[in-house]
Amino acid sequence: MANPIVHWEITSSDGKPLHDFYGQMFDWNIDTNNEYDYGMVDTKVAGGVNGGISGSPSGNLVTIYVEVEDLQAALDKAESLGGKTIMPPMDIPGAVSMAQFADPAGNVIGLVKSGSMVVG
């Protein structure tokens, strides 16, 4: 199975200024009408990869999310190659099943379980 990039996110300690900045910078639609105030980004480009912009206690991060069949198997493989699990598999109800690992250089990569991503 191919493992495409299916989502990205940009976070900061305060997401609101980033919603405004990226919305104006690239003319993206950013919808924060959800209980998490998570900015769902519609890049308005056919075939483009949409993403999210939010506040996070982790601070400034840019993360890509790769689709995989089995979250735990992917984390195990990352660890066998020198990576480290950052977030074990978790379900966000109505949204996605996801996990995160850090590569050997410390870059955080997100994983999304195949078929779990709610596209809206």
Side-chain angles (χ1 to χ4, degrees):
M1 171 195 170
N3 299 108
I5 294 172
V6 295
H7 187 74
W8 53 264
E9 74 186 359
I10 300 170
T11 65
S12 169
S13 58
D14 183 5
K16 175 71 172 117
L18 293 181
H19 297 156
D20 297 338
F21 175 83
Y22 284 103
Q24 292 175 35
M25 179 72 189
F26 297 119
D27 195 32
W28 290 344
N29 289 333
I30 302 176
D31 179 7
T32 59
N33 188 22
N34 58 68
E35 65 183 287
Y36 307 106
D37 199 33
Y38 186 85
M40 293 298 296
V41 176
D42 178 358
T43 60
K44 303 190 285 187
V45 177
V49 177
N50 293 323
I53 300 174
S54 70
S56 170
S58 300
N60 300 341
L61 293 172
V62 175
T63 307
I64 61 167
Y65 286 81
V66 178
E67 184 178 60
V68 297
E69 284 289 322
D70 183 321
L71 295 171
Q72 189 58 57
L75 290 173
D76 292 346
K77 184 173 182 178
E79 289 188 5
S80 77
L81 296 169
K84 177 182 173 187
T85 296
I86 299 297
M87 182 178 72
M90 67 176 287
D91 291 327
I92 299 175
V96 69
S97 296
M98 60 186 283
Q100 292 180 337
F101 69 90
D103 69 16
N107 299 301
V108 176
I109 305 297
L111 302 170
V112 173
K113 182 173 174 55
S114 297
S116 75
M117 187 115 185
V118 175
V119 178

